[in-house]
Amino acid sequence: MIGIALEGGAERSSFTAGVIDALMARDFYAAAASGTSAGAGCVLNYRSRQQGVSLEMMIMERHSRYFGIRHMAHTGRFLNLDHMAQEYASRIDWAVYQQFAMQTDFVATCCEDGEPAYLTDDGSRHRLFTAIKASCALPIICEPVELDGKHYIDGSIADPIPFLHLLEQGCDKVIVVLTGSVHARPTDYTRLRPLLRQLYAKKYPMLYHAVLHRIARYEEQVQALEQAQREQRALVLRPQVKSIPLFTQNEDKIRAYYQHGCELVDQRWTEITAFLESRTLIQ
């Protein structure tokens, strides 16, 4: 079984949007997909087999945007999760999403225990889009999202690159899409320790610990990913150009990053197919 793991990265996920659109153009669909934060939205796009939806979500007209400084000036919120969910819901072909039996989940971080949660839909649109909101709920600026009696924030805190999860779920090989160039690293929240302490230390102590240690967790995953590549269980697609800013609203930069994702799949297609056909080398 082949899986695809999609890292988050806000507008850097325009690269991922390009990758999945190029894969769909070649009629390649994995059996399982797991996405974190903005990568969760790309999973939604991928399973519904609609090229261009993820890119649309990143280059909206100013009056439709659900995040950003201008949005905050009008609404008081940098990121409006309800608005985001509504925009996705208006674009996704729900009938197609339900029709195809792709194993999908959306990674969030559980506030109560600080561990990753792999949220799935139960056939209802409401649960699906609640799971997407949970995966994308950025620390500090978003309220935790409640689902099934628990509370969740951004999945990139607990499982930023969910390839191990897919291997544990029975995938033999995983295509891993990263959104930053080789020197890119996730946001270091230790700079905001006083604010994190105020928001989480008492109410969600395990989450507080997880947020402060997210860089170490990311580095552990990078090392595990390198080992999985050596064993031919993982193939990594990542930008070969300078990373764009996480929350840029420069449409030209977003479109160029998207196009780079499309072109990289075309350039590496022979390598991708060889990887999918090769035997693993687990020691």
Side-chain angles (χ1 to χ4, degrees), residues 3 163-164 167 172-176 224-237 268 271 275 278 280:
F163 76 99
L164 286 174
L167 291 173
D172 304 297
K173 291 175 176 287
V174 179
I175 295 173
V176 181
L225 181 56
E226 291 172 351
Q227 180 63 29
Q229 289 178 87
R230 288 191 289 270
E231 297 168 350
Q232 295 184 22
R233 294 192 296 161
L235 180 141
V236 173
L237 299 174
R268 296 184 61 185
E271 179 187 352
F275 163 74
S278 67
T280 59

Short mmCIF file of all heavy atoms in Angstrom, two decimals, residues 3 163-164 167 172-176 224-237 268 271 275 278 280:
data_model
loop_
_atom_site.label_atom_id
_atom_site.label_comp_id
_atom_site.label_asym_id
_atom_site.label_seq_id
_atom_site.Cartn_x
_atom_site.Cartn_y
_atom_site.Cartn_z
N GLY A 3 1.35 5.33 0.58
CA GLY A 3 0.80 6.46 1.30
C GLY A 3 1.46 7.75 0.87
O GLY A 3 2.53 7.75 0.24
N PHE A 163 4.68 10.64 8.25
CA PHE A 163 5.00 9.46 7.46
C PHE A 163 5.09 8.21 8.31
O PHE A 163 4.70 7.11 7.87
CB PHE A 163 6.31 9.68 6.68
CG PHE A 163 7.55 9.58 7.52
CD1 PHE A 163 8.29 8.41 7.54
CD2 PHE A 163 7.96 10.65 8.31
CE1 PHE A 163 9.43 8.31 8.33
CE2 PHE A 163 9.09 10.56 9.09
CZ PHE A 163 9.83 9.39 9.11
N LEU A 164 5.60 8.33 9.55
CA LEU A 164 5.69 7.15 10.41
C LEU A 164 4.30 6.61 10.72
O LEU A 164 4.10 5.39 10.79
CB LEU A 164 6.43 7.50 11.71
CG LEU A 164 7.94 7.70 11.61
CD1 LEU A 164 8.50 8.19 12.94
CD2 LEU A 164 8.62 6.39 11.20
N LEU A 167 3.28 4.47 7.83
CA LEU A 167 3.98 3.18 7.85
C LEU A 167 3.37 2.27 8.91
O LEU A 167 3.18 1.07 8.68
CB LEU A 167 5.47 3.39 8.12
CG LEU A 167 6.26 4.08 7.00
CD1 LEU A 167 7.68 4.37 7.45
CD2 LEU A 167 6.27 3.21 5.72
N ASP A 172 3.51 0.33 2.76
CA ASP A 172 4.85 -0.21 2.48
C ASP A 172 5.82 0.91 2.13
O ASP A 172 7.00 0.85 2.45
CB ASP A 172 4.77 -1.19 1.31
CG ASP A 172 3.78 -2.31 1.56
OD1 ASP A 172 3.99 -3.08 2.51
OD2 ASP A 172 2.78 -2.38 0.82
N LYS A 173 5.28 1.92 1.44
CA LYS A 173 6.09 3.05 0.99
C LYS A 173 5.28 4.33 1.14
O LYS A 173 4.05 4.32 1.02
CB LYS A 173 6.51 2.87 -0.47
CG LYS A 173 7.51 1.74 -0.71
CD LYS A 173 7.78 1.57 -2.19
CE LYS A 173 8.85 0.52 -2.42
NZ LYS A 173 10.18 0.99 -2.05
N VAL A 174 6.00 5.43 1.38
CA VAL A 174 5.33 6.70 1.57
C VAL A 174 6.06 7.78 0.78
O VAL A 174 7.29 7.92 0.87
CB VAL A 174 5.28 7.11 3.06
CG1 VAL A 174 4.60 8.46 3.23
CG2 VAL A 174 4.56 6.05 3.90
N ILE A 175 5.30 8.53 0.01
CA ILE A 175 5.82 9.75 -0.61
C ILE A 175 5.62 10.87 0.39
O ILE A 175 4.50 11.08 0.88
CB ILE A 175 5.08 10.07 -1.92
CG1 ILE A 175 5.37 8.98 -2.96
CG2 ILE A 175 5.50 11.44 -2.46
CD1 ILE A 175 4.55 9.12 -4.23
N VAL A 176 6.69 11.56 0.75
CA VAL A 176 6.65 12.60 1.77
C VAL A 176 6.86 13.95 1.11
O VAL A 176 7.87 14.18 0.44
CB VAL A 176 7.72 12.36 2.84
CG1 VAL A 176 7.65 13.45 3.92
CG2 VAL A 176 7.57 10.98 3.47
N ALA A 224 14.45 10.16 11.47
CA ALA A 224 13.72 8.94 11.13
C ALA A 224 13.40 8.90 9.63
O ALA A 224 13.42 7.83 9.00
CB ALA A 224 12.42 8.87 11.94
N LEU A 225 13.13 10.06 9.05
CA LEU A 225 12.84 10.13 7.62
C LEU A 225 14.08 9.79 6.80
O LEU A 225 13.98 9.10 5.78
CB LEU A 225 12.33 11.53 7.27
CG LEU A 225 11.94 11.78 5.82
CD1 LEU A 225 10.90 10.79 5.33
CD2 LEU A 225 11.42 13.22 5.67
N GLU A 226 15.23 10.24 7.25
CA GLU A 226 16.47 9.91 6.55
C GLU A 226 16.70 8.40 6.55
O GLU A 226 17.13 7.81 5.55
CB GLU A 226 17.64 10.65 7.19
CG GLU A 226 17.60 12.16 6.95
CD GLU A 226 18.66 12.91 7.75
OE1 GLU A 226 19.31 12.28 8.62
OE2 GLU A 226 18.82 14.13 7.51
N GLN A 227 16.41 7.75 7.69
CA GLN A 227 16.55 6.30 7.77
C GLN A 227 15.55 5.61 6.85
O GLN A 227 15.89 4.65 6.15
CB GLN A 227 16.34 5.83 9.22
CG GLN A 227 16.45 4.33 9.42
CD GLN A 227 17.83 3.78 9.09
OE1 GLN A 227 18.83 4.49 9.22
NE2 GLN A 227 17.88 2.54 8.65
N ALA A 228 14.33 6.09 6.82
CA ALA A 228 13.31 5.50 5.95
C ALA A 228 13.68 5.64 4.48
O ALA A 228 13.39 4.76 3.66
CB ALA A 228 11.95 6.15 6.22
N GLN A 229 14.34 6.73 4.13
CA GLN A 229 14.81 6.90 2.75
C GLN A 229 15.89 5.88 2.42
O GLN A 229 15.89 5.30 1.32
CB GLN A 229 15.33 8.31 2.55
CG GLN A 229 14.26 9.38 2.55
CD GLN A 229 14.85 10.77 2.38
OE1 GLN A 229 15.07 11.24 1.27
NE2 GLN A 229 15.13 11.43 3.50
N ARG A 230 16.79 5.65 3.37
CA ARG A 230 17.84 4.65 3.13
C ARG A 230 17.24 3.26 2.93
O ARG A 230 17.79 2.45 2.18
CB ARG A 230 18.84 4.66 4.29
CG ARG A 230 19.74 5.88 4.33
CD ARG A 230 20.88 5.71 5.31
NE ARG A 230 20.42 5.75 6.69
CZ ARG A 230 20.33 6.86 7.43
NH1 ARG A 230 20.67 8.03 6.89
NH2 ARG A 230 19.93 6.81 8.68
N GLU A 231 16.15 2.99 3.61
CA GLU A 231 15.48 1.69 3.52
C GLU A 231 14.52 1.62 2.34
O GLU A 231 13.85 0.62 2.13
CB GLU A 231 14.72 1.41 4.82
CG GLU A 231 15.62 1.29 6.04
CD GLU A 231 14.85 1.29 7.36
OE1 GLU A 231 13.63 1.58 7.34
OE2 GLU A 231 15.46 1.01 8.38
N GLN A 232 14.45 2.70 1.58
CA GLN A 232 13.57 2.81 0.42
C GLN A 232 12.10 2.64 0.81
O GLN A 232 11.28 2.14 0.03
CB GLN A 232 13.96 1.80 -0.67
CG GLN A 232 15.34 2.09 -1.26
CD GLN A 232 15.70 1.16 -2.40
OE1 GLN A 232 14.84 0.56 -3.03
NE2 GLN A 232 16.99 1.02 -2.65
N ARG A 233 11.77 3.10 2.00
CA ARG A 233 10.38 3.14 2.43
C ARG A 233 9.78 4.53 2.27
O ARG A 233 8.56 4.69 2.37
CB ARG A 233 10.25 2.70 3.90
CG ARG A 233 10.61 1.24 4.13
CD ARG A 233 10.19 0.80 5.52
NE ARG A 233 10.90 1.54 6.55
CZ ARG A 233 10.49 1.64 7.82
NH1 ARG A 233 9.36 1.10 8.19
NH2 ARG A 233 11.22 2.30 8.70
N ALA A 234 10.62 5.52 2.04
CA ALA A 234 10.13 6.90 1.89
C ALA A 234 10.88 7.58 0.76
O ALA A 234 12.08 7.37 0.56
CB ALA A 234 10.31 7.68 3.18
N LEU A 235 10.16 8.40 0.02
CA LEU A 235 10.75 9.26 -1.00
C LEU A 235 10.29 10.68 -0.69
O LEU A 235 9.09 10.92 -0.49
CB LEU A 235 10.31 8.85 -2.40
CG LEU A 235 10.87 9.70 -3.54
CD1 LEU A 235 11.23 8.84 -4.75
CD2 LEU A 235 9.86 10.78 -3.96
N VAL A 236 11.23 11.60 -0.64
CA VAL A 236 10.94 12.98 -0.24
C VAL A 236 10.89 13.90 -1.45
O VAL A 236 11.80 13.90 -2.29
CB VAL A 236 11.98 13.49 0.77
CG1 VAL A 236 11.77 14.97 1.07
CG2 VAL A 236 11.91 12.67 2.06
N LEU A 237 9.83 14.69 -1.52
CA LEU A 237 9.74 15.79 -2.48
C LEU A 237 9.71 17.07 -1.68
O LEU A 237 8.85 17.26 -0.82
CB LEU A 237 8.46 15.66 -3.30
CG LEU A 237 8.31 14.40 -4.16
CD1 LEU A 237 6.92 14.35 -4.79
CD2 LEU A 237 9.39 14.34 -5.23
N ARG A 268 10.95 14.53 -11.71
CA ARG A 268 11.36 13.35 -10.94
C ARG A 268 10.42 12.15 -11.15
O ARG A 268 10.49 11.18 -10.40
CB ARG A 268 11.44 13.70 -9.45
CG ARG A 268 12.51 14.75 -9.14
CD ARG A 268 12.64 15.01 -7.66
NE ARG A 268 13.02 13.82 -6.91
CZ ARG A 268 13.11 13.76 -5.58
NH1 ARG A 268 12.86 14.84 -4.87
NH2 ARG A 268 13.46 12.65 -4.97
N GLU A 271 12.02 8.77 -11.35
CA GLU A 271 12.52 8.37 -10.02
C GLU A 271 11.36 7.94 -9.12
O GLU A 271 11.48 6.96 -8.36
CB GLU A 271 13.27 9.53 -9.38
CG GLU A 271 13.80 9.24 -8.00
CD GLU A 271 14.39 10.47 -7.33
OE1 GLU A 271 14.52 11.51 -8.00
OE2 GLU A 271 14.71 10.38 -6.13
N PHE A 275 10.88 4.25 -7.49
CA PHE A 275 10.74 4.08 -6.03
C PHE A 275 9.52 3.22 -5.71
O PHE A 275 9.59 2.30 -4.89
CB PHE A 275 10.62 5.44 -5.37
CG PHE A 275 10.08 5.41 -3.96
CD1 PHE A 275 10.86 4.97 -2.91
CD2 PHE A 275 8.76 5.80 -3.70
CE1 PHE A 275 10.36 4.93 -1.62
CE2 PHE A 275 8.25 5.76 -2.42
CZ PHE A 275 9.05 5.32 -1.37
N SER A 278 10.25 -0.42 -6.47
CA SER A 278 11.41 -1.06 -5.85
C SER A 278 11.03 -1.80 -4.57
O SER A 278 9.96 -1.58 -3.99
CB SER A 278 12.46 0.01 -5.50
OG SER A 278 11.97 0.88 -4.48
N THR A 280 11.70 -2.70 -0.56
CA THR A 280 12.26 -2.01 0.60
C THR A 280 13.51 -2.73 1.09
O THR A 280 13.70 -3.93 0.83
CB THR A 280 11.24 -1.95 1.74
OG1 THR A 280 10.85 -3.28 2.11
CG2 THR A 280 10.01 -1.16 1.32
#
